[in-house]
Amino acid sequence: MTTKISDELIVAQRGEGRRVGIISADGVTVPANGYEMEIHNPATGELIGTLHEADAAEINAVVAGAKAVYEKVWRRTAPEVRGRLLGAWADAIARHREELADIEVADVGHLRREVLADIDNSSRILRYYAGIADKLEGRTFAQLPDRLSYGVDEPFGVVAGVSPYNGNANSLTLKAGPALVAGNCIVIKAPEVAPLLNYRLVELALEAGMPAGIISVVTGRGQTVGPLLTEHPDIGMIAFTGGPDSGRAIINQSATNIVPTFLELGGKSPAILLPDADLETAIPSLLHSNFAKSGQSCVTGSRIFVPDSMYAEVSERLGQKAKTVRVGLPTKDSSQMGTLINRRHRTRVDALVKRAIDAGAVCLAGGAPAEEGELANGAFYQPTVLAEVKDDNPAALTEAFGPMASVLSYSDVDEVIARSNSSEFGLSAQIWGNDARTIQHLAKGLEAGTVWINTYRSFHPTVPFGGMKQSGFGKENGLDSVAMYTRRKAVVWDLSTERELPYSN
């Protein structure tokens, strides 16, 4: 059976549902039999689709198809042609941005403006990689008499990309862009809780002229489908975005065939206010850092460090401002925060907030589900600010992946560096202030892959992004990301015409 995502989206939005299955070298298929999972709109609880879970035979077929396309087509495709195809895909995404936003708002529950920003960024990512497709170069090594030595960066063949639900457009293109421009084919495992945008994005790639099989999509439960893909003998590399526990599982799975991995595993990022910080800018920025996408972001500045002298004022202002944030249906322009991905996740967030309060934190705002009126059937949670949080409080240790900001006090700069670095995570950090000497001291001392100064969530395709410590390893964005999807071969060519041969008579 073949179908197009776009043909049935209107049906899905009416709540009648649709089925998604597999996109591979054989086209878009929805198998008639097999395990299926329901897809619900997290803001309304409505059933919007049914997901087919790929089985072992189907994964084998998808990977085999991708391998055949890699060997017969993609590895032989000129770099400038790869670039043109990526550019055409970016253009298709831009033309369909409103349709794509409809899908993601219903599937994930982010605000429409948040979703549109992600979709626009995904076009920008693909255009960046399209532009560098014919500019990737090798290198020569030591120049020796009568010997030529050079390096060739080659693709792995077929790589696997495993994506989370909280930024489907960004996550897919951040993997597919560098993987494809490097010459690989890629098989994406879409998140089982919100897969629809992945399917439509890849369908647009095919409509834009990308040969079938260069980018494929499968999905299902992570513990079931994940190993079938990541342990497959024809997968040459794995790119994963998710949590630390799943990241450890990916590392174990990669050991089956000893393949390299890229891991982005979340964070518990510090946001440090200096005494001269502009509070009129910093306070709303800090809250938005924590409440954008309902806090379902790996780079939330969830540990807000405030100087002792400012602590009471800043805590009060953060709490008061959080109370004014309008939680509402993500389809409404008036809403300032949408919903969590589902009620099961909301229960986890609420349990963490309750544990934090039991451990001594003071709740200044929120601290409970939002269930009034039109929110009753969704998975909404109140924007939450906790004060009097100590370093050993669960709120300071655990990534909530929900709208929970913690306020901590500090007395001097070296202390705040040490306490910021005490976390097992090291993805990002924020600094708010104007003292250049102190800012530079902090930026140098913080163990974080990205340090933002008087800004936050600031991404660009040219700026590498990735974590330290248990936030993972490897880089997205820029040429660094292309390098993640290539393996270097050294070629040594002896050009001498006169030499003594070993073991000669």
Side-chain angles (χ1 to χ4, degrees), residues 56-140:
E58 290 162 348
I59 294 292
N60 288 340
V62 169
V63 175
K67 183 180 179 182
V69 172
Y70 165 74
E71 293 176 344
K72 297 176 182 178
V73 178
W74 200 236
R75 72 183 302 179
R76 306 174 189 275
T77 301
E80 62 269 22
V81 176
R82 293 177 192 157
R84 285 201 299 271
L85 289 169
L86 284 175
W89 186 14
D91 292 342
I93 290 172
R95 288 194 304 272
H96 290 263
R97 67 191 294 268
E98 297 295 334
E99 172 202 343
L100 295 172
D102 289 341
I103 298 170
E104 188 76 336
V105 169
D107 205 15
V108 181
H110 295 333
L111 301 179
R112 188 175 188 83
R113 56 182 172 272
E114 294 173 335
V115 167
L116 285 170
D118 280 355
I119 292 167
D120 291 343
N121 191 54
S122 70
S123 295
R124 182 171 65 168
I125 290 165
L126 291 176
R127 289 196 179 99
Y128 169 78
Y129 286 109
I132 67 172
D134 59 355
K135 302 171 184 66
L136 301 175
E137 299 175 346
R139 57 176 291 194
T140 58

Side-chain angles (χ1 to χ4, degrees), residues 142-308:
Q143 301 296 307
L144 300 175
D146 299 324
R147 177 169 290 181
L148 174 63
S149 303
Y150 59 92
V152 180
D153 293 335
E154 297 183 337
F156 289 98
V158 183
V159 302
V162 183
S163 295
Y165 66 83
N166 63 312
N168 280 306
N170 284 330
S171 186
L172 188 147
T173 53
L174 280 169
K175 293 175 175 62
L180 297 184
V181 81
N184 301 282
C185 291
I186 187 168
V187 180
I188 295 287
K189 183 204 169 291
E192 63 265 31
V193 292
L196 295 179
L197 191 69
N198 286 261
Y199 285 89
R200 184 59 181 140
L201 286 170
V202 174
E203 186 183 60
L204 287 175
L206 301 178
E207 292 175 4
M210 195 79 72
I214 289 172
I215 178 168
S216 306
V217 184
V218 298
T219 198
R221 292 165 294 180
Q223 68 272 23
T224 303
V225 176
L228 294 176
L229 179 61
T230 56
E231 296 180 7
H232 195 284
D234 288 327
I235 292 295
M237 177 264 184
I238 305 165
F240 173 81
T241 305
D245 289 341
S246 297
R248 293 183 186 96
I250 290 289
I251 291 173
N252 289 332
Q253 292 159 22
S254 73
T256 301
N257 298 302
I258 312 180
V259 299
T261 61
F262 159 76
L263 301 174
E264 197 269 85
L265 303 179
K268 192 64 186 172
S269 301
I272 301 169
L273 265 69
L274 298 179
D276 63 350
D278 176 6
L279 297 184
E280 298 304 316
T281 300
I283 285 177
S285 298
L286 288 167
L287 288 177
H288 187 257
S289 168
N290 279 276
F291 302 153
K293 297 184 176 180
S294 301
Q296 296 166 118
S297 171
C298 56
V299 294
T300 59
S302 56
R303 291 185 295 154
I304 303 173
F305 286 95
V306 182
D308 292 336

